[in-house]
């Protein structure tokens, strides 16, 4: 029913097959201080930040804009207490502006692959199930909850697992765009392992970070597997 579906799918999937180095370089030009993004924002009266040199947390900026907190002078309880070398305010400030730009890039370049997986799974749902549900008079929300999502359970687990692994292993974009700057707010475990092993020649620490990363991925995958397990009907015990 939608014209140009093939062109739209191709345009949406194209960033997934493009070199991550090339896309990262393009993002550097787009999001620099005088780049196209800030120029477009200036047309509507918004002064864009210096994206890759802004270590401020996004959540703290939003709350500061709403007048809830003062990002430059946080409350004493949040600023005085610290954990692992960072104050509670820094922990609660959210990802930095620079990290959010890298997150936007990662989402844009990977969503096309997940779109294809979901599209194939949706086309594989038997029409008989949807027709039977429509005959029963279910609403669209009930169709989504009781028919579509249960049929997509294995695909949801696959996509979330692949996304989880890809999130922890982000390296190319950080290496090209920031290398951890500003203020180590764009460090990722994969880049930290690389920089420790090959930048500081501390191969033991680099290997330890890699093993910790593997443990985190396996643990979170097991949790997702538990949450997405098949739940059969409960049987009552007879006395």
């Amino acid at each position: 029913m939608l014209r140009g579906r093939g062109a739209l799918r191709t345009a949406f999937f194209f960033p997934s097959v493009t070199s991550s180095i090339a896309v990262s370089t393009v993002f550097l030009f787009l999001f620099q201080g005088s780049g196209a993004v800030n120029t477009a924002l200036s047309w509507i009266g918004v002064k864009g930040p210096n994206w890759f040199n802004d270590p401020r947390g996004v959540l703290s900026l939003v709350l500061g804009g709403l007048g809830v907190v003062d990002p430059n002078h946080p409350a004493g309880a949040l600023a005085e207490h610290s954990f692992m070398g960072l104050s509670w305010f820094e922990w609660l400030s959210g990802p930095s502006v620079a990290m959010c730009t890298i997150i936007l890039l990662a989402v844009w370049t990977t969503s096309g692959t997940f779109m294809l997986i979901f599209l194939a799974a949706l086309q594989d749902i038997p029409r008989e199930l949807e027709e039977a549900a429509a005959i029963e008079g279910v609403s669209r929300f009930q169709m989504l909850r009781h028919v579509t999502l249960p049929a997509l359970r294995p695909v949801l687990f696959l996509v979330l697992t692949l996304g989880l692994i890809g999130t922890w292993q982000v390296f190319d974009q950080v290496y090209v765009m920031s290398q951890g700057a500003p203020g180590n707010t764009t460090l990722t475990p994969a880049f930290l392992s690389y920089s420790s092993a090959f930048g500081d020649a501390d191969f033991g620490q680099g290997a330890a970070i890699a093993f910790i990363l593997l443990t985190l991925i396996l643990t979170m995958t097991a949790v997702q597997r538990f949450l997405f397990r098949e739940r059969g009907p409960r049987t009552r015990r007879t006395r």
Side-chain angles (χ1 to χ4, degrees), residues 5-238:
R5 288 185 303 173
L8 290 175
R9 291 174 182 175
T10 302
F12 196 77
F13 181 68
F14 186 74
S16 300
V17 296
T18 307
S19 171
S20 60
I21 305 299
V23 177
S24 301
T25 305
V26 172
F27 259 61
L28 281 175
F29 285 101
L30 291 177
F31 285 89
Q32 60 182 344
S34 58
V37 174
N38 283 350
T39 302
L41 291 176
S42 65
W43 293 344
I44 57 176
V46 178
K47 183 180 179 181
N50 195 353
W51 299 90
F52 294 108
N53 294 313
D54 196 337
R56 297 175 297 174
V58 174
L59 182 59
S60 65
L61 292 178
V62 173
L63 294 178
L66 296 175
V68 178
V69 297
D70 186 359
N72 298 322
H73 301 88
L78 296 177
E80 294 174 358
H81 298 82
S82 62
F83 177 70
M84 296 181 65
L86 296 176
S87 65
W88 284 112
F89 180 77
E90 292 175 325
W91 280 106
L92 299 175
S93 295
S96 65
V97 175
M99 177 58 82
C100 286
T101 309
I102 297 177
I103 292 173
L104 176 64
L105 170 61
V107 171
W108 184 58
T109 54
T110 56
S111 57
T113 303
F114 298 149
M115 178 269 296
L116 282 184
I117 298 175
F118 275 120
L119 182 61
L122 287 171
Q123 293 176 346
D124 195 49
I125 297 177
R127 293 285 299 175
E128 292 79 5
L129 292 177
E130 298 178 352
E131 292 174 356
I135 292 174
E136 293 293 332
V138 301
S139 62
R140 290 183 178 271
F141 177 76
Q142 291 173 332
M143 177 80 74
L144 175 65
R145 180 180 178 183
H146 298 289
V147 177
T148 305
L149 290 181
L152 293 179
R153 186 191 302 271
V155 177
L156 283 172
F157 172 73
L158 173 64
V159 169
L160 289 176
T161 302
L162 293 178
L164 172 68
I165 296 174
T167 300
W168 284 100
Q169 292 181 344
V170 170
F171 174 80
D172 306 15
Q173 297 87 342
V174 175
Y175 183 82
V176 173
M177 303 169 75
S178 64
Q179 296 195 2
N184 293 332
T185 57
T186 59
L187 277 179
T188 60
F191 181 79
L192 184 60
S193 175
Y194 167 82
S195 60
S196 298
F198 299 99
D200 302 333
D202 192 347
F203 296 99
Q205 180 175 341
I209 296 173
F211 275 104
I212 294 175
L213 177 59
L214 175 62
T215 304
L216 287 173
I217 291 176
L218 293 178
T219 302
M220 299 185 72
T221 302
V223 172
Q224 288 186 173
R225 181 63 178 172
F226 175 77
L227 295 177
F228 281 90
R229 72 190 187 280
E230 293 288 342
R231 295 178 176 86
R234 296 182 178 180
T235 58
R236 295 182 180 180
R237 295 183 179 179
T238 58

